[in-house]
PDB file of all heavy atoms in Angstrom:
ATOM      1  N   CYS J  42      -8.937   5.334   2.327  1.00 95.00           N
ATOM      2  CA  CYS J  42      -9.358   4.484   1.174  1.00 95.00           C
ATOM      3  C   CYS J  42      -9.929   3.178   1.656  1.00 95.00           C
ATOM      4  O   CYS J  42     -10.130   2.253   0.840  1.00 95.00           O
ATOM      5  CB  CYS J  42      -8.275   4.344   0.146  1.00 95.00           C
ATOM      6  SG  CYS J  42      -7.830   5.877  -0.746  1.00 95.00           S
ATOM      7  N   GLU J  43      -9.979   2.985   2.957  1.00 94.00           N
ATOM      8  CA  GLU J  43     -10.473   1.720   3.610  1.00 94.00           C
ATOM      9  C   GLU J  43      -9.616   0.525   3.101  1.00 94.00           C
ATOM     10  O   GLU J  43     -10.157  -0.565   3.011  1.00 94.00           O
ATOM     11  CB  GLU J  43     -11.960   1.575   3.232  1.00 94.00           C
ATOM     12  CG  GLU J  43     -12.848   2.618   3.745  1.00 94.00           C
ATOM     13  CD  GLU J  43     -14.260   2.520   3.420  1.00 94.00           C
ATOM     14  OE1 GLU J  43     -14.777   1.420   3.523  1.00 94.00           O
ATOM     15  OE2 GLU J  43     -14.823   3.578   2.933  1.00 94.00           O
ATOM     16  N   GLY J  44      -8.351   0.730   2.893  1.00 92.00           N
ATOM     17  CA  GLY J  44      -7.454  -0.382   2.511  1.00 92.00           C
ATOM     18  C   GLY J  44      -7.657  -0.895   1.114  1.00 92.00           C
ATOM     19  O   GLY J  44      -7.099  -1.874   0.734  1.00 92.00           O
ATOM     20  N   LYS J  45      -8.385  -0.151   0.307  1.00 93.00           N
ATOM     21  CA  LYS J  45      -8.596  -0.574  -1.116  1.00 93.00           C
ATOM     22  C   LYS J  45      -7.553   0.020  -2.045  1.00 93.00           C
ATOM     23  O   LYS J  45      -7.574   1.234  -2.248  1.00 93.00           O
ATOM     24  CB  LYS J  45     -10.052  -0.174  -1.453  1.00 93.00           C
ATOM     25  CG  LYS J  45     -11.079  -0.906  -0.721  1.00 93.00           C
ATOM     26  CD  LYS J  45     -12.452  -0.582  -1.221  1.00 93.00           C
ATOM     27  CE  LYS J  45     -13.441  -1.479  -0.419  1.00 93.00           C
ATOM     28  NZ  LYS J  45     -14.549  -0.809   0.167  1.00 93.00           N
ATOM     29  N   PHE J  46      -6.667  -0.851  -2.464  1.00 92.00           N
ATOM     30  CA  PHE J  46      -5.635  -0.453  -3.332  1.00 92.00           C
ATOM     31  C   PHE J  46      -6.161   0.173  -4.660  1.00 92.00           C
ATOM     32  O   PHE J  46      -5.539   1.071  -5.247  1.00 92.00           O
ATOM     33  CB  PHE J  46      -4.641  -1.571  -3.629  1.00 92.00           C
ATOM     34  CG  PHE J  46      -3.658  -1.842  -2.556  1.00 92.00           C
ATOM     35  CD1 PHE J  46      -3.107  -3.122  -2.371  1.00 92.00           C
ATOM     36  CD2 PHE J  46      -3.244  -0.854  -1.603  1.00 92.00           C
ATOM     37  CE1 PHE J  46      -2.250  -3.314  -1.331  1.00 92.00           C
ATOM     38  CE2 PHE J  46      -2.370  -1.113  -0.631  1.00 92.00           C
ATOM     39  CZ  PHE J  46      -1.884  -2.333  -0.469  1.00 92.00           C
ATOM     40  N   SER J  47      -7.333  -0.298  -5.088  1.00 91.00           N
ATOM     41  CA  SER J  47      -7.948   0.197  -6.337  1.00 91.00           C
ATOM     42  C   SER J  47      -8.141   1.757  -6.217  1.00 91.00           C
ATOM     43  O   SER J  47      -7.885   2.494  -7.135  1.00 91.00           O
ATOM     44  CB  SER J  47      -9.169  -0.504  -6.747  1.00 91.00           C
ATOM     45  OG  SER J  47     -10.102  -0.402  -5.769  1.00 91.00           O
ATOM     46  N   ARG J  48      -8.614   2.173  -5.031  1.00 93.00           N
ATOM     47  CA  ARG J  48      -8.874   3.545  -4.844  1.00 93.00           C
ATOM     48  C   ARG J  48      -7.565   4.285  -4.643  1.00 93.00           C
ATOM     49  O   ARG J  48      -7.413   5.479  -5.074  1.00 93.00           O
ATOM     50  CB  ARG J  48      -9.725   3.726  -3.620  1.00 93.00           C
ATOM     51  CG  ARG J  48     -11.219   3.327  -3.849  1.00 93.00           C
ATOM     52  CD  ARG J  48     -12.076   3.437  -2.679  1.00 93.00           C
ATOM     53  NE  ARG J  48     -12.006   4.674  -1.905  1.00 93.00           N
ATOM     54  CZ  ARG J  48     -12.596   4.823  -0.706  1.00 93.00           C
ATOM     55  NH1 ARG J  48     -13.191   3.868  -0.172  1.00 93.00           N
ATOM     56  NH2 ARG J  48     -12.486   5.972  -0.027  1.00 93.00           N
ATOM     57  N   MET J  49      -6.622   3.670  -3.961  1.00 94.00           N
ATOM     58  CA  MET J  49      -5.300   4.298  -3.757  1.00 94.00           C
ATOM     59  C   MET J  49      -4.600   4.507  -5.081  1.00 94.00           C
ATOM     60  O   MET J  49      -3.824   5.468  -5.293  1.00 94.00           O
ATOM     61  CB  MET J  49      -4.541   3.466  -2.799  1.00 94.00           C
ATOM     62  CG  MET J  49      -5.052   3.483  -1.328  1.00 94.00           C
ATOM     63  SD  MET J  49      -3.989   2.496  -0.263  1.00 94.00           S
ATOM     64  CE  MET J  49      -2.546   3.557  -0.038  1.00 94.00           C
ATOM     65  N   GLU J  50      -4.701   3.483  -5.986  1.00 92.00           N
ATOM     66  CA  GLU J  50      -4.046   3.597  -7.310  1.00 92.00           C
ATOM     67  C   GLU J  50      -4.539   4.900  -7.983  1.00 92.00           C
ATOM     68  O   GLU J  50      -3.798   5.682  -8.567  1.00 92.00           O
ATOM     69  CB  GLU J  50      -4.377   2.466  -8.144  1.00 92.00           C
ATOM     70  CG  GLU J  50      -3.623   1.205  -7.779  1.00 92.00           C
ATOM     71  CD  GLU J  50      -4.060  -0.030  -8.556  1.00 92.00           C
ATOM     72  OE1 GLU J  50      -5.208  -0.378  -8.606  1.00 92.00           O
ATOM     73  OE2 GLU J  50      -3.148  -0.669  -9.172  1.00 92.00           O
ATOM     74  N   LYS J  51      -5.910   5.171  -7.899  1.00 90.00           N
ATOM     75  CA  LYS J  51      -6.474   6.283  -8.565  1.00 90.00           C
ATOM     76  C   LYS J  51      -6.022   7.619  -7.862  1.00 90.00           C
ATOM     77  O   LYS J  51      -5.670   8.569  -8.491  1.00 90.00           O
ATOM     78  CB  LYS J  51      -7.978   6.225  -8.518  1.00 90.00           C
ATOM     79  CG  LYS J  51      -8.558   5.186  -9.424  1.00 90.00           C
ATOM     80  CD  LYS J  51     -10.060   5.041  -9.313  1.00 90.00           C
ATOM     81  CE  LYS J  51     -10.565   3.824  -9.970  1.00 90.00           C
ATOM     82  NZ  LYS J  51     -11.991   3.506  -9.624  1.00 90.00           N
ATOM     83  N   ASP J  52      -6.078   7.608  -6.518  1.00 89.00           N
ATOM     84  CA  ASP J  52      -5.683   8.790  -5.764  1.00 89.00           C
ATOM     85  C   ASP J  52      -4.200   9.197  -5.868  1.00 89.00           C
ATOM     86  O   ASP J  52      -3.877  10.363  -6.046  1.00 89.00           O
ATOM     87  CB  ASP J  52      -6.001   8.586  -4.238  1.00 89.00           C
ATOM     88  CG  ASP J  52      -7.496   8.709  -3.932  1.00 89.00           C
ATOM     89  OD1 ASP J  52      -8.271   8.870  -4.882  1.00 89.00           O
ATOM     90  OD2 ASP J  52      -7.889   8.690  -2.725  1.00 89.00           O
ATOM     91  N   LEU J  53      -3.355   8.226  -5.860  1.00 90.00           N
ATOM     92  CA  LEU J  53      -1.889   8.461  -5.864  1.00 90.00           C
ATOM     93  C   LEU J  53      -1.203   8.326  -7.270  1.00 90.00           C
ATOM     94  O   LEU J  53      -0.121   8.713  -7.360  1.00 90.00           O
ATOM     95  CB  LEU J  53      -1.260   7.539  -4.834  1.00 90.00           C
ATOM     96  CG  LEU J  53      -1.641   7.727  -3.364  1.00 90.00           C
ATOM     97  CD1 LEU J  53      -1.019   6.616  -2.546  1.00 90.00           C
ATOM     98  CD2 LEU J  53      -1.256   9.073  -2.847  1.00 90.00           C
ATOM     99  N   GLY J  54      -1.990   7.734  -8.212  1.00 91.00           N
ATOM    100  CA  GLY J  54      -1.316   7.471  -9.454  1.00 91.00           C
ATOM    101  C   GLY J  54      -0.174   6.472  -9.418  1.00 91.00           C
ATOM    102  O   GLY J  54       0.740   6.627 -10.171  1.00 91.00           O
ATOM    103  N   LEU J  55      -0.248   5.526  -8.496  1.00 91.00           N
ATOM    104  CA  LEU J  55       0.755   4.509  -8.343  1.00 91.00           C
ATOM    105  C   LEU J  55       0.201   3.142  -8.687  1.00 91.00           C
ATOM    106  O   LEU J  55      -0.977   2.896  -8.546  1.00 91.00           O
ATOM    107  CB  LEU J  55       1.289   4.497  -6.909  1.00 91.00           C
ATOM    108  CG  LEU J  55       1.977   5.769  -6.441  1.00 91.00           C
ATOM    109  CD1 LEU J  55       2.298   5.656  -4.968  1.00 91.00           C
ATOM    110  CD2 LEU J  55       3.255   6.074  -7.249  1.00 91.00           C
ATOM    111  N   SER J  56       1.064   2.281  -9.163  1.00 91.00           N
ATOM    112  CA  SER J  56       0.629   0.951  -9.451  1.00 91.00           C
ATOM    113  C   SER J  56       0.418   0.062  -8.277  1.00 91.00           C
ATOM    114  O   SER J  56       0.941   0.276  -7.143  1.00 91.00           O
ATOM    115  CB  SER J  56       1.636   0.245 -10.379  1.00 91.00           C
ATOM    116  OG  SER J  56       2.907  -0.038  -9.594  1.00 91.00           O
ATOM    117  N   TYR J  57      -0.299  -1.053  -8.368  1.00 90.00           N
ATOM    118  CA  TYR J  57      -0.553  -1.984  -7.333  1.00 90.00           C
ATOM    119  C   TYR J  57       0.789  -2.472  -6.728  1.00 90.00           C
ATOM    120  O   TYR J  57       0.917  -2.478  -5.519  1.00 90.00           O
ATOM    121  CB  TYR J  57      -1.415  -3.144  -7.840  1.00 90.00           C
ATOM    122  CG  TYR J  57      -1.647  -4.209  -6.840  1.00 90.00           C
ATOM    123  CD1 TYR J  57      -2.648  -4.079  -5.846  1.00 90.00           C
ATOM    124  CD2 TYR J  57      -0.872  -5.306  -6.693  1.00 90.00           C
ATOM    125  CE1 TYR J  57      -2.865  -5.025  -4.886  1.00 90.00           C
ATOM    126  CE2 TYR J  57      -1.035  -6.297  -5.839  1.00 90.00           C
ATOM    127  CZ  TYR J  57      -2.065  -6.186  -4.877  1.00 90.00           C
ATOM    128  OH  TYR J  57      -2.225  -7.158  -3.901  1.00 90.00           O
ATOM    129  N   PRO J  58       1.737  -2.919  -7.568  1.00 90.00           N
ATOM    130  CA  PRO J  58       2.996  -3.451  -7.007  1.00 90.00           C
ATOM    131  C   PRO J  58       3.722  -2.383  -6.171  1.00 90.00           C
ATOM    132  O   PRO J  58       4.286  -2.709  -5.202  1.00 90.00           O
ATOM    133  CB  PRO J  58       3.820  -3.833  -8.193  1.00 90.00           C
ATOM    134  CG  PRO J  58       2.787  -4.148  -9.269  1.00 90.00           C
ATOM    135  CD  PRO J  58       1.659  -3.152  -9.007  1.00 90.00           C
ATOM    136  N   THR J  59       3.695  -1.139  -6.588  1.00 92.00           N
ATOM    137  CA  THR J  59       4.322   0.001  -5.838  1.00 92.00           C
ATOM    138  C   THR J  59       3.656   0.103  -4.505  1.00 92.00           C
ATOM    139  O   THR J  59       4.321   0.263  -3.455  1.00 92.00           O
ATOM    140  CB  THR J  59       4.363   1.240  -6.652  1.00 92.00           C
ATOM    141  OG1 THR J  59       4.948   1.036  -7.905  1.00 92.00           O
ATOM    142  CG2 THR J  59       4.954   2.405  -5.886  1.00 92.00           C
ATOM    143  N   LEU J  60       2.334   0.181  -4.505  1.00 94.00           N
ATOM    144  CA  LEU J  60       1.566   0.272  -3.218  1.00 94.00           C
ATOM    145  C   LEU J  60       1.812  -0.894  -2.349  1.00 94.00           C
ATOM    146  O   LEU J  60       2.030  -0.724  -1.153  1.00 94.00           O
ATOM    147  CB  LEU J  60       0.045   0.386  -3.494  1.00 94.00           C
ATOM    148  CG  LEU J  60      -0.413   1.603  -4.268  1.00 94.00           C
ATOM    149  CD1 LEU J  60      -1.865   1.476  -4.658  1.00 94.00           C
ATOM    150  CD2 LEU J  60      -0.113   2.889  -3.431  1.00 94.00           C
ATOM    151  N   ARG J  61       1.874  -2.155  -2.819  1.00 92.00           N
ATOM    152  CA  ARG J  61       2.138  -3.311  -1.980  1.00 92.00           C
ATOM    153  C   ARG J  61       3.599  -3.222  -1.442  1.00 92.00           C
ATOM    154  O   ARG J  61       3.787  -3.518  -0.257  1.00 92.00           O
ATOM    155  CB  ARG J  61       2.053  -4.627  -2.840  1.00 92.00           C
ATOM    156  CG  ARG J  61       0.646  -5.120  -3.098  1.00 92.00           C
ATOM    157  CD  ARG J  61      -0.107  -5.524  -1.933  1.00 92.00           C
ATOM    158  NE  ARG J  61       0.548  -6.563  -1.097  1.00 92.00           N
ATOM    159  CZ  ARG J  61       0.176  -6.934   0.009  1.00 92.00           C
ATOM    160  NH1 ARG J  61      -0.872  -6.397   0.592  1.00 92.00           N
ATOM    161  NH2 ARG J  61       0.824  -7.847   0.782  1.00 92.00           N
ATOM    162  N   GLY J  62       4.516  -2.740  -2.267  1.00 92.00           N
ATOM    163  CA  GLY J  62       5.881  -2.565  -1.765  1.00 92.00           C
ATOM    164  C   GLY J  62       5.999  -1.600  -0.598  1.00 92.00           C
ATOM    165  O   GLY J  62       6.687  -1.879   0.379  1.00 92.00           O
ATOM    166  N   ARG J  63       5.278  -0.482  -0.799  1.00 94.00           N
ATOM    167  CA  ARG J  63       5.343   0.612   0.278  1.00 94.00           C
ATOM    168  C   ARG J  63       4.653   0.060   1.591  1.00 94.00           C
ATOM    169  O   ARG J  63       5.138   0.275   2.673  1.00 94.00           O
ATOM    170  CB  ARG J  63       4.690   1.872  -0.221  1.00 94.00           C
ATOM    171  CG  ARG J  63       5.533   2.518  -1.187  1.00 94.00           C
ATOM    172  CD  ARG J  63       5.027   3.947  -1.556  1.00 94.00           C
ATOM    173  NE  ARG J  63       5.908   4.524  -2.592  1.00 94.00           N
ATOM    174  CZ  ARG J  63       5.667   5.675  -3.077  1.00 94.00           C
ATOM    175  NH1 ARG J  63       4.638   6.440  -2.691  1.00 94.00           N
ATOM    176  NH2 ARG J  63       6.433   6.110  -4.026  1.00 94.00           N
ATOM    177  N   LEU J  64       3.587  -0.665   1.403  1.00 94.00           N
ATOM    178  CA  LEU J  64       2.846  -1.203   2.581  1.00 94.00           C
ATOM    179  C   LEU J  64       3.840  -2.229   3.198  1.00 94.00           C
ATOM    180  O   LEU J  64       3.883  -2.285   4.504  1.00 94.00           O
ATOM    181  CB  LEU J  64       1.557  -1.830   2.225  1.00 94.00           C
ATOM    182  CG  LEU J  64       0.748  -2.477   3.360  1.00 94.00           C
ATOM    183  CD1 LEU J  64       0.402  -1.427   4.398  1.00 94.00           C
ATOM    184  CD2 LEU J  64      -0.468  -3.148   2.805  1.00 94.00           C
ATOM    185  N   GLY J  65       4.484  -3.055   2.457  1.00 92.00           N
ATOM    186  CA  GLY J  65       5.457  -3.985   3.050  1.00 92.00           C
ATOM    187  C   GLY J  65       6.530  -3.351   3.840  1.00 92.00           C
ATOM    188  O   GLY J  65       6.890  -3.778   4.953  1.00 92.00           O
ATOM    189  N   GLU J  66       7.039  -2.223   3.338  1.00 93.00           N
ATOM    190  CA  GLU J  66       8.076  -1.436   4.042  1.00 93.00           C
ATOM    191  C   GLU J  66       7.505  -0.978   5.410  1.00 93.00           C
ATOM    192  O   GLU J  66       8.243  -1.032   6.410  1.00 93.00           O
ATOM    193  CB  GLU J  66       8.515  -0.244   3.243  1.00 93.00           C
ATOM    194  CG  GLU J  66       9.317  -0.608   1.937  1.00 93.00           C
ATOM    195  CD  GLU J  66       9.571   0.618   1.129  1.00 93.00           C
ATOM    196  OE1 GLU J  66       9.262   1.782   1.568  1.00 93.00           O
ATOM    197  OE2 GLU J  66       9.999   0.471  -0.010  1.00 93.00           O
ATOM    198  N   ILE J  67       6.286  -0.461   5.393  1.00 93.00           N
ATOM    199  CA  ILE J  67       5.683  -0.009   6.616  1.00 93.00           C
ATOM    200  C   ILE J  67       5.507  -1.102   7.659  1.00 93.00           C
ATOM    201  O   ILE J  67       5.733  -0.980   8.741  1.00 93.00           O
ATOM    202  CB  ILE J  67       4.382   0.778   6.282  1.00 93.00           C
ATOM    203  CG1 ILE J  67       4.651   2.051   5.541  1.00 93.00           C
ATOM    204  CG2 ILE J  67       3.553   1.034   7.575  1.00 93.00           C
ATOM    205  CD1 ILE J  67       3.495   2.739   4.922  1.00 93.00           C
ATOM    206  N   ILE J  68       5.056  -2.215   7.143  1.00 91.00           N
ATOM    207  CA  ILE J  68       4.799  -3.368   8.047  1.00 91.00           C
ATOM    208  C   ILE J  68       6.132  -3.763   8.715  1.00 91.00           C
ATOM    209  O   ILE J  68       6.154  -4.038   9.861  1.00 91.00           O
ATOM    210  CB  ILE J  68       4.209  -4.534   7.195  1.00 91.00           C
ATOM    211  CG1 ILE J  68       2.758  -4.177   6.773  1.00 91.00           C
ATOM    212  CG2 ILE J  68       4.264  -5.817   8.017  1.00 91.00           C
ATOM    213  CD1 ILE J  68       2.183  -5.179   5.715  1.00 91.00           C
ATOM    214  N   ARG J  69       7.215  -3.803   7.902  1.00 89.00           N
ATOM    215  CA  ARG J  69       8.517  -4.177   8.412  1.00 89.00           C
ATOM    216  C   ARG J  69       8.965  -3.093   9.441  1.00 89.00           C
ATOM    217  O   ARG J  69       9.543  -3.438  10.491  1.00 89.00           O
ATOM    218  CB  ARG J  69       9.559  -4.396   7.343  1.00 89.00           C
ATOM    219  CG  ARG J  69       9.473  -5.700   6.597  1.00 89.00           C
ATOM    220  CD  ARG J  69      10.569  -5.916   5.646  1.00 89.00           C
ATOM    221  NE  ARG J  69      10.355  -5.149   4.397  1.00 89.00           N
ATOM    222  CZ  ARG J  69       9.545  -5.354   3.408  1.00 89.00           C
ATOM    223  NH1 ARG J  69       8.830  -6.439   3.505  1.00 89.00           N
ATOM    224  NH2 ARG J  69       9.486  -4.592   2.364  1.00 89.00           N
ATOM    225  N   GLN J  70       8.786  -1.832   9.126  1.00 89.00           N
ATOM    226  CA  GLN J  70       9.181  -0.636  10.035  1.00 89.00           C
ATOM    227  C   GLN J  70       8.493  -0.748  11.314  1.00 89.00           C
ATOM    228  O   GLN J  70       8.966  -0.440  12.435  1.00 89.00           O
ATOM    229  CB  GLN J  70       8.841   0.660   9.318  1.00 89.00           C
ATOM    230  CG  GLN J  70       9.433   1.834  10.029  1.00 89.00           C
ATOM    231  CD  GLN J  70      10.954   1.949   9.966  1.00 89.00           C
ATOM    232  OE1 GLN J  70      11.615   1.361   9.067  1.00 89.00           O
ATOM    233  NE2 GLN J  70      11.493   2.692  10.883  1.00 89.00           N
ATOM    234  N   LEU J  71       7.240  -1.317  11.301  1.00 87.00           N
ATOM    235  CA  LEU J  71       6.449  -1.495  12.542  1.00 87.00           C
ATOM    236  C   LEU J  71       6.876  -2.715  13.366  1.00 87.00           C
ATOM    237  O   LEU J  71       6.407  -2.955  14.413  1.00 87.00           O
ATOM    238  CB  LEU J  71       4.941  -1.524  12.247  1.00 87.00           C
ATOM    239  CG  LEU J  71       4.308  -0.261  11.739  1.00 87.00           C
ATOM    240  CD1 LEU J  71       2.902  -0.516  11.308  1.00 87.00           C
ATOM    241  CD2 LEU J  71       4.470   0.887  12.756  1.00 87.00           C
ATOM    242  N   GLY J  72       7.742  -3.506  12.821  1.00 85.00           N
ATOM    243  CA  GLY J  72       8.333  -4.667  13.454  1.00 85.00           C
ATOM    244  C   GLY J  72       7.620  -6.029  13.215  1.00 85.00           C
ATOM    245  O   GLY J  72       7.868  -6.999  13.883  1.00 85.00           O
ATOM    246  N   PHE J  73       6.815  -6.025  12.095  1.00 84.00           N
ATOM    247  CA  PHE J  73       6.115  -7.204  11.692  1.00 84.00           C
ATOM    248  C   PHE J  73       6.745  -7.750  10.462  1.00 84.00           C
ATOM    249  O   PHE J  73       7.522  -7.099   9.771  1.00 84.00           O
ATOM    250  CB  PHE J  73       4.642  -6.895  11.495  1.00 84.00           C
ATOM    251  CG  PHE J  73       3.894  -6.293  12.597  1.00 84.00           C
ATOM    252  CD1 PHE J  73       3.492  -5.060  12.608  1.00 84.00           C
ATOM    253  CD2 PHE J  73       3.681  -7.067  13.780  1.00 84.00           C
ATOM    254  CE1 PHE J  73       2.829  -4.490  13.691  1.00 84.00           C
ATOM    255  CE2 PHE J  73       3.078  -6.525  14.843  1.00 84.00           C
ATOM    256  CZ  PHE J  73       2.572  -5.248  14.835  1.00 84.00           C
ATOM    257  N   VAL J  74       6.392  -9.015  10.160  1.00 83.00           N
ATOM    258  CA  VAL J  74       6.842  -9.706   8.917  1.00 83.00           C
ATOM    259  C   VAL J  74       5.659  -9.732   7.958  1.00 83.00           C
ATOM    260  O   VAL J  74       4.600 -10.390   8.337  1.00 83.00           O
ATOM    261  CB  VAL J  74       7.353 -11.107   9.127  1.00 83.00           C
ATOM    262  CG1 VAL J  74       7.831 -11.750   7.925  1.00 83.00           C
ATOM    263  CG2 VAL J  74       8.508 -11.025  10.160  1.00 83.00           C
TER     264      VAL J  74
END
């Protein structure tokens, strides 16, 4: 989705805050803040 949450919202049926939260978890899992 080229990092576009608007497209991901449509594809996954998830809200923007949920997508941001999941991305934040992944960023932390990779060792970043």
Side-chain angles (χ1 to χ4, degrees):
C42 292
E43 301 176 45
K45 294 183 172 131
F46 282 153
S47 59
R48 286 176 50 192
M49 291 180 74
E50 286 176 304
K51 292 174 189 170
D52 283 5
L53 297 173
L55 298 173
S56 68
Y57 176 85
T59 300
L60 294 172
R61 284 293 305 166
R63 289 191 183 176
L64 181 60
E66 290 171 11
I67 291 169
I68 292 169
R69 282 186 287 282
Q70 187 73 20
L71 293 174
F73 302 112
V74 178

